[in-house]
Amino acid sequence: SCKNSLAALCWSSVLLVLLIGVFGIIFVSGAKAYVDGATLSDPVVEDIREHFETLPMTMLSLFLSFLGEAEFKGIISTLGVMSFWYCALYFVFVLFTTLAIMNFIAGIFVTDAMELASQDRELRQHNDRMRTKKNMEVLSALFEEMDSSGCGILYRSEFPSLLQGPQVQALFSHFKFDIVDGDSFFTLLDVDGSGTVDIEEFVVGCLRMHG
């Protein structure tokens, strides 16, 4: 459901912030250690301060890296000067957040879309069942209207004349039946070839032709 998707999205956002915070602390510590031991003329110091001087600044740099908006080449070059391991750790961060977390977030929305599609399919099936039930009730009432004798059977000989009744024609029009030849229509309903049509044959046959 949407509620579950929002909850999962919130948890994934929290996880992302925690990851950025943990990696940020590591990079800030490494940057501070490098700057403290560097000479005043070291040109890399300014680049380090630009990206990793404080924890908020470092987290912003990592977040921009996650979004793909950071200057990867400059950051990698800077971290490479500090240590190869910081450079490798940065690669791990980018790959993990991009592949794992983004796939997780995408999976949330895919799952939600599949659930909505399933609910929509179930709703359509329910509506189809309700429509079929309603049509069966209408056809049963139509059969009773045509079966004036109340014997529960319609005969071939009387069927064409029964179709001429205004109420019968109106109900058949509801099902969009264009009956040109009453005898041929009766043959379609009389599946057992007995020359008579009971209520079950009538209802099932009409539903079959109605689609």
Side-chain angles (χ1 to χ4, degrees):
S1 65
C2 293
K3 183 178 180 180
N4 292 335
S5 297
L6 287 175
L9 184 60
C10 288
W11 280 112
S12 63
S13 299
V14 171
L15 176 61
L16 177 61
V17 172
L18 289 175
L19 282 173
I20 291 176
V22 171
F23 278 87
I25 291 172
I26 295 173
F27 288 129
V28 167
S29 299
K32 185 177 184 304
Y34 183 88
V35 171
D36 290 344
T39 61
L40 295 176
S41 60
D42 191 337
V44 181
V45 171
E46 286 302 319
D47 293 332
I48 292 175
R49 285 175 175 168
E50 180 183 353
H51 297 291
F52 307 110
E53 185 174 14
T54 63
L55 181 59
M57 186 180 295
T58 303
M59 292 180 67
L60 177 60
S61 296
L62 293 176
F63 182 67
L64 291 176
S65 298
F66 165 71
L67 295 178
E69 298 295 329
E71 187 183 350
F72 289 102
K73 185 176 180 180
I75 293 177
I76 291 171
S77 299
T78 301
L79 292 174
V81 173
M82 289 169 51
S83 170
F84 165 79
W85 296 110
Y86 287 116
C87 188
L89 194 62
Y90 179 74
F91 272 115
V92 170
F93 168 80
V94 173
L95 288 175
F96 181 80
T97 54
T98 302
L99 297 179
I101 294 184
M102 288 303 294
N103 285 339
F104 176 71
I105 294 174
I108 293 173
F109 290 102
V110 169
T111 301
D112 190 50
M114 291 177 64
E115 289 180 358
L116 289 175
S118 177
Q119 292 174 3
D120 185 57
R121 182 171 59 254
E122 291 175 359
L123 180 60
R124 288 199 305 270
Q125 292 174 348
H126 174 73
N127 290 337
D128 288 342
R129 288 193 297 268
M130 294 301 295
R131 184 167 55 252
T132 300
K133 181 180 178 181
K134 179 65 177 178
N135 288 340
M136 290 178 66
E137 293 174 353
V138 173
L139 289 169
S140 296
L142 175 59
F143 181 89
E144 292 173 359
E145 175 70 21
M146 298 175 70
D147 181 25
S148 57
S149 63
C151 63
I153 292 176
L154 300 179
Y155 294 92
R156 180 184 293 274
S157 58
E158 64 180 1
F159 192 75
S161 61
L162 294 175
L163 296 177
Q164 303 307 314
Q167 188 171 355
V168 173
Q169 289 185 355
L171 288 172
F172 271 122
S173 177
H174 168 75
F175 289 96
K176 299 180 180 179
F177 288 157
D178 185 14
I179 303 174
V180 178
D181 184 357
D183 190 66
S184 298
F185 188 74
F186 186 90
T187 300
L188 293 174
L189 297 176
D190 184 19
V191 292
D192 60 1
S194 63
T196 60
V197 171
D198 59 22
I199 188 170
E200 181 178 352
E201 287 179 310
F202 182 81
V203 172
V204 173
C206 288
L207 286 176
R208 184 179 64 251
M209 286 183 280
H210 179 59

